[in-house]
Amino acid sequence: MSRTRTRVSAPDQACVAAVDLARAAAEELAHPGEPGEHLGFEAEGDRVVTHYFACLDRAYRGWRWAVTVTRASRAKKVTVSEAVLLPGSGALLAPEWLPWSERLRPGDLGVGDLLPTPDDDDRLEPGFAETDEDVDRQMVFEYGLGRARVLSAIGKDRAARRWHSGEHGPHTPIAHAAPAQCSTCGFYWLLAGGLRHMFGVCANEYAPDDGKVVAADHGCGAHSEAAVMPPPVEQATPILDDLGYDLIEEEQGEQGPAGEPAPAEPGPS
């Protein structure tokens, strides 16, 4: 089996020599003086050559002007085929384009904004497919089947992971400093369904998480059973009497050098 050989055509000399023609085409598109020095050329095919010029515009550093020239078969006149500004190595480029659904972040939705959910969203499943008996079911509409779609197992798992690792989970400074977990608090209102084992809603109006979903192992200082410490008692300043004195009876058995009782120490006169 023989390899296929690709014939590389030699650059057309007439197109290679058309540097001034290519520069004039670049100057028509750019501001005066922006096309800089000639950076070289590249053969694109038979009688097709692209000339490159440096771009001196400060807003496009690292870019270059590319002007493609060509001529017809057996023709002597060279014409411009295309002129464009292309990025070179080290050029400043815009970030890769992403669709709006991938650029959206929590909190971006404002008043009046609509966020359509795709039909194939893996977080949802048809309402008739819900078979979990522990789920708090929505009232069935009259002549209807209830909600068109409900959370799927993937949607529930993503929500549980997001809530547990967020600011209302156990890995926050306020939870570490709490006297006890939310699961033991009287203001902890359990969720219905399969998530009731991990999450609830805070119903304490003085707590920072009031009305928000909190993890069972979250906590804060507004716990219903938080111990109230009594106010400290101020110690009174001691009063010292330095004018009076006390008489101390000498112990029996203490005698002087001659066998006589040791004289008592004189008191103040």
Side-chain angles (χ1 to χ4, degrees):
M1 181 177 180
S2 61
R3 296 182 180 180
T4 303
R5 295 183 179 180
T6 303
R7 184 177 63 88
V8 178
S9 59
D12 184 78
Q13 295 303 316
C15 293
V16 171
V19 177
D20 295 337
L21 176 66
R23 180 184 294 276
E27 290 178 348
E28 290 183 4
L29 298 177
H31 295 288
E34 284 187 1
E37 61 176 333
H38 184 244
L39 301 178
F41 65 89
E42 182 179 357
E44 304 288 351
D46 294 338
R47 298 180 300 279
V48 179
V49 173
T50 299
H51 292 274
Y52 297 99
F53 300 91
C55 180
L56 303 182
D57 191 343
R58 292 180 296 177
Y60 288 89
R61 292 187 178 182
W63 291 61
R64 55 184 180 173
W65 288 99
V67 181
T68 302
V69 296
T70 184
R71 69 181 180 89
S73 177
R74 298 182 182 180
K76 296 182 179 180
K77 185 178 180 180
V78 179
T79 58
V80 176
S81 175
E82 184 181 15
V84 66
L85 186 62
L86 297 178
S89 58
L92 181 62
L93 301 176
E96 183 181 357
W97 183 86
L98 295 175
W100 67 266
S101 58
E102 299 182 20
R103 298 195 306 267
L104 194 65
R105 293 293 180 267
D108 290 348
L109 196 65
V111 178
D113 295 338
L114 297 179
L115 180 60
T117 304
D119 296 336
D120 57 349
D121 195 327
D122 57 0
R123 298 172 301 171
L124 299 172
E125 63 182 8
F128 61 81
E130 181 59 63
T131 58
D132 190 353
E133 296 180 356
D134 295 334
V135 175
D136 183 18
R137 296 180 179 275
Q138 181 183 353
M139 291 295 295
V140 178
F141 299 131
E142 186 178 4
Y143 306 117
L145 297 175
R147 291 176 292 175
R149 289 188 290 179
V150 295
L151 273 176
S152 63
I154 296 177
K156 296 175 184 177
D157 182 69
R158 289 182 181 177
R161 292 175 181 270
R162 185 172 62 253
W163 294 347
H164 196 264
S165 61
E167 59 181 347
H168 307 301
H171 309 296
T172 56
I174 192 173
H176 292 165
Q181 296 181 350
C182 291
S183 59
T184 61
C185 180
F187 297 104
Y188 182 68
W189 194 346
L190 291 173
L191 291 182
L195 295 178
R196 66 181 289 113
H197 303 290
M198 296 181 59
F199 302 100
V201 177
C202 178
N204 188 347
E205 60 181 318
Y206 301 108
D209 300 323
D210 179 41
K212 300 176 181 177
V213 175
V214 294
D217 46 358
H218 183 62
C220 71
H223 194 280
S224 62
E225 310 306 322
V228 178
M229 302 300 295
V233 179
E234 296 183 359
Q235 298 291 337
T237 304
I239 301 176
L240 302 178
D241 184 8
D242 55 355
L243 298 179
Y245 61 91
D246 296 331
L247 294 177
I248 301 176
E249 297 181 359
E250 63 181 31
E251 297 181 0
Q252 296 181 0
E254 293 185 2
Q255 298 179 353
E260 299 179 357
E265 296 181 358
S269 58

